[in-house]
Amino acid sequence: MSRVLAFPAGRRAKWLVLVAWLIILGAAAPFAGKLFGAVENDRLGYLPKSAESTAVLEQQEAFPQGRVNPAIIVYQRDGGLTAADRARAADDQRWMAGKYMPKTPPPPPTVSKDGKALIYQIALVAPPDKQEGNYVLDAVDAMRKHIGDPGGGLEVKVSGPAGRDSDQFLIFRDMQYQLVLIPVIVVAILLLVIYRSAVLFLVPLFTVAVANQLGSAFVYGLIKNTDLVINSMSTGVLSILIYGAGTDYALLLISRYREELARHEDRHEAMAEALRRSSGAVLASGGTVALGLLCLFAADLNATRALAPIGVLAVGSAMLAMLTLLPALLVVFGRWLFWPRAPHVGDSKRAHGFWTRMGETVQARPRRVWALTSLGLAVGVLGLLAFNVPQQTQFTTTPDSERGQTLISAHFPAGNGNPATIVANAAQADQVKTAATGSGVVGAVAEVGRAAGKVQYAATLNAEPVTAAERSAVHRLREDVHAVNGAEAKVGGPAAIQLDQRDTNVRDSWITIPLVLVVIFIVLLLLLRAVTLSVLLIATVALSFGAALGVSTLVFEYGFGWSGQDSQLPQLAFVFLVALGVDYNIFLMSRVREESRRHGTREGVIKGLVTTGGVITSAGVVLAATFAVLVALPVVSFAEQGFVIGLGVLIDTFIVRSLLVPALVHDIGDRVWWPSGLARGTRQRAERGRELAPDKSR
């Protein structure tokens, strides 16, 4: 295995590796370029099959009008609509209806009681040969271009479910290149600062870009050859994971390579030794992250399940490139890459001033250090008392659909902008309508059509769209129509879809979070062969997650003014943070284990902290910065994910891995390795080992 891992460092092998990667890149590039155009933003594909709203979407396809995604167009003038305004609205409606509803005569617009606004609905139905998300996006875009900017005090907006869907899809379409470009810029700047070399940073940056091409090509293949639902969010996470994890692995390898260049005249030998010393930690860390992400396969929500193979492919592509292409490139270019501080044989070790002081602090007062850091994290966890799952703020900006909904709510019943759909057996249609009307949460119920023994109604809810009140209204409406015997009534529509997504995410969290803990614990046991240390690491990372989510909750609520949190936030943040948090602890404890064999546990943990402090901290900053890219997205759910994961990584890097874990290990001593052999007097074995053989590794 040692020879296999060191293969890319060979004098001839490095050229074989480069040629192989040129072939891989040439084959992957055409498919990688098609990824963003192949994603699926279909409502039906996103939902779990068991959801009630899924059944409604499927049943809608049997009706003549098909599966409708309504756009609501609103016209408003503060001083009251003029005759010219109404004529303009009528012309716009005829154009839109002729283009998108050619077989259905449009009903006349509805004018508000105060005469200041009017609305009408355009039912968008994607043709069989077009993907729903892309069709809605193109249709709403065409409507907005047709309307233009009327000016003169008249305000016209395209809102409703189709308008909101379009705005969300538009954000990802416009940001798809930024989601790749911004991590590149962030990583480039950070590597330039970390290495303080004008050229060295280009090598890992190029390598991670190649890994991103490979990962993108693999995910494109998933879309084309599996039934997994891969949407715009998933592809954004792909690039962030590859750039974040790949740069981390590069930092670890280059740091060890630099150490070995000070011991070996031949750069090939130095790289071979660096690969032998660091590959195990990279493989263990990447494997841990991959196994943690695979737990998402247990989720019921299709989009969440898709993140499992995407995450594995991202981490796998990053590891493959960093353990083969990167070492080959480094060896080809030689020592001058490190200019102006190229390492030479016999160079003394670089001073670790800050980390030496950190180690001295831990060594002098380990119990006080871990007690104070644990207390600080526990205070952060208290922020969870303000956690409120129902998210009410959807966008960080005010897109057209949000402004349109504001106008609708000001002049009409709020639910006009987000109608619910009821499908039931036609024989009990009147009873279902009566039950819906008498539910107390519906303002009006209108029949949409009949087909195949079924009837479809559009119900105007009294509650404001995308609020907790609207979700409660859907709950109540479902209870009332379900009570009609024999009707087999079901409630769907945008509000019901959001409710089903939230409920599914909550159920999924109760499955995936414990599963991740069990899987990561088993992995740690296999890697470290120490029950005590494995429990300690899991506990500290879980505490770190709680603190990150608690602090973030307070920031969202009182800093950013985002009401409520995305229901998917705890699940995804936990999976990423626990997997990545354990990742850094594996980097640290791999070195600590190596040092403990020679110096004993207490001295070994301090040496491990001082030696790895700089590189792991740099890796943490890079990873946090790449996930923080999501905060730039004007969608609250993704901004929340980026903030929590970025903050959690920083907490793991600067508090858990730098202070809490070293202090606990130092305080516990050799017993931390129980039941492995290291628990039985590491110092004595180390002394005997030094007597028998010189210390070549140092």
Side-chain angles (χ1 to χ4, degrees), residues 287-629:
T288 303
V289 174
L291 287 172
L293 292 172
L294 278 176
C295 295
L296 291 174
F297 261 130
D300 193 22
L301 200 67
N302 289 334
T304 303
R305 293 178 66 249
L307 287 174
I310 287 176
V312 172
L313 289 173
V315 173
S317 299
M319 281 198 302
L320 181 63
M322 294 306 157
L323 292 179
T324 57
L325 178 58
L326 178 62
L329 288 172
L330 290 171
V331 172
V332 165
F333 289 115
R335 295 174 188 262
W336 70 268
L337 277 175
F338 292 89
W339 181 87
R341 297 192 305 168
H344 300 285
V345 175
D347 283 353
S348 59
K349 284 190 175 182
R350 294 171 57 194
H352 301 283
F354 174 80
W355 292 104
T356 298
R357 291 192 297 274
M358 185 76 76
E360 291 171 350
T361 300
V362 171
Q363 191 171 28
R365 301 177 182 86
R367 191 160 299 178
R368 180 180 297 182
V369 169
W370 70 253
L372 288 176
T373 51
S374 298
L375 180 62
L377 293 175
V379 171
V381 174
L382 293 177
L384 292 176
L385 296 175
F387 190 83
N388 178 25
V389 170
Q391 179 186 334
Q392 298 184 39
T393 308
Q394 192 169 6
F395 298 98
T396 61
T397 58
T398 307
D400 267 14
S401 59
E402 290 290 287
R403 175 58 184 163
Q405 183 56 49
T406 300
L407 297 177
I408 293 171
S409 300
H411 301 282
F412 300 93
N416 276 21
N418 210 36
T421 300
I422 305 172
V423 176
N425 291 334
Q428 290 80 24
D430 292 340
Q431 298 174 50
V432 170
K433 183 176 182 180
T434 300
T437 305
S439 64
V441 296
V442 172
V445 179
E447 185 175 320
V448 176
R450 295 180 181 237
K454 295 285 185 179
V455 64
Q456 182 179 175
Y457 291 113
T460 302
L461 301 172
N462 295 327
E464 188 79 21
V466 197
T467 62
E470 184 186 55
R471 287 184 284 271
S472 297
V474 173
H475 264 304
R476 175 62 185 275
L477 180 58
R478 281 178 168 173
E479 289 176 356
D480 288 354
V481 299
H482 289 172
V484 179
N485 290 329
E488 298 179 357
K490 292 180 174 57
V491 177
I497 288 173
Q498 289 190 339
L499 176 64
D500 289 340
Q501 287 174 352
R502 190 203 68 173
D503 291 346
T504 304
N505 279 324
V506 172
R507 288 197 304 272
D508 286 348
S509 296
W510 285 105
I511 297 172
T512 55
I513 289 177
L515 184 59
V516 168
L517 281 175
V518 171
V519 168
I520 298 296
F521 180 68
I522 293 173
V523 170
L524 288 174
L525 283 178
L526 294 174
L527 290 175
L528 302 172
R529 299 184 294 279
V531 174
T532 304
L533 182 57
S534 299
V535 171
L536 183 150
L537 293 180
I538 283 287
T540 56
V541 172
L543 180 61
S544 170
F545 164 74
L549 188 57
V551 172
S552 298
T553 297
L554 298 177
V555 173
F556 297 156
E557 198 75 26
Y558 303 107
F560 298 156
W562 299 341
S563 180
Q565 292 81 35
D566 178 43
S567 58
Q568 207 173 19
L569 178 63
Q571 178 183 200
L572 293 186
F574 183 87
V575 172
F576 282 112
L577 278 180
V578 170
L580 295 170
V582 169
D583 202 39
Y584 291 133
N585 282 313
I586 288 175
F587 284 165
L588 170 65
M589 297 314 298
S590 295
R591 190 59 179 257
V592 169
R593 188 181 185 93
E594 182 181 330
E595 299 289 350
S596 296
R597 290 182 182 278
R598 292 191 293 268
H599 306 288
T601 299
R602 287 194 166 93
E603 187 178 347
V605 71
I606 302 302
K607 286 183 176 293
L609 172 63
V610 172
T611 305
T612 64
V615 64
I616 298 181
T617 299
S618 300
V621 171
V622 169
L623 188 63
T626 52
F627 268 101
V629 169

Side-chain angles (χ1 to χ4, degrees), residues 25 82 111 132 156 244 246 327 485 513 559 689 697:
L25 184 59
T82 65
V111 181
E132 181 187 23
V156 185
N485 290 329
I513 289 177
S697 64

